[in-house]
Amino acid sequence: MPLLRQVLTLQALRELGRLAPNLARMRAERSLDECLQGLREACLVTLGMEFETLLLFDARSVVRLFAHAEQARILAHLVDERARVLAEHGDYSAALSDTVYAGQLLACSRQRFGVLRDAGAAEALERELPTH
């Protein structure tokens, strides 16, 4: 069973890598609602969970839902992308809140999975995401 989880996590990373350019392009070219819808869909595709539902809980509780550090990194990336979208549309307060939450997700991931596993997750995410 752990091998299956690892395979699913790697598929989620690859899917996020595939979606990342679209999310960045949407941020530059689309309305706020379209960008947020794109993030919702990306969360469902990569993590199989509702984006807004995950954001209702504190970072520690959300990270406890995940079996791998990569999943926490994926969510942190999506939250950070939402912060960028909100900032581009002038909602700096909400953007700052999302940036803080993304940082909390990463800190909780390190606490739960350990620094080495979290560092490995960061490397895996960097390999899958295209460079800007």
Side-chain angles (χ1 to χ4, degrees), residues 8-128:
L8 292 174
T9 301
L10 289 174
Q11 286 177 332
L13 283 169
R14 289 187 183 110
E15 192 62 28
L16 181 61
R18 187 184 68 75
L19 293 171
N22 295 338
L23 294 173
R25 192 173 26 260
M26 284 175 58
R27 182 175 9 110
E29 300 171 358
R30 303 284 174 107
S31 71
L32 177 62
D33 289 336
E34 290 173 314
C35 292
L36 295 178
Q37 182 60 34
L39 287 169
R40 285 183 204 103
E41 291 170 6
C43 190
L44 275 174
V45 168
T46 57
L47 297 174
M49 297 178 203
E50 295 279 339
F51 191 59
E52 280 83 9
T53 302
L54 290 171
L55 300 181
L56 292 174
F57 300 98
D58 65 287
R60 179 173 293 166
S61 297
V62 171
V63 170
R64 286 183 182 158
L65 294 173
F66 300 135
H68 295 282
E70 289 87 351
Q71 293 169 299
R73 286 263 172 191
I74 289 170
L75 182 58
H77 179 79
L78 293 173
V79 171
D80 185 60
E81 181 63 31
R82 187 172 93 157
R84 292 172 194 217
V85 166
L86 293 170
E88 290 218 2
H89 287 90
D91 192 348
Y92 300 110
S93 177
L96 179 61
S97 178
D98 278 356
T99 300
V100 169
Y101 188 68
Q104 290 171 342
L105 287 166
L106 297 176
C108 290
S109 176
R110 285 187 164 223
Q111 187 176 38
R112 173 157 188 239
F113 297 109
V115 174
L116 293 177
R117 282 191 63 202
D118 190 67
E123 291 172 6
L125 193 62
E126 281 182 29
R127 281 192 306 271
E128 295 299 329

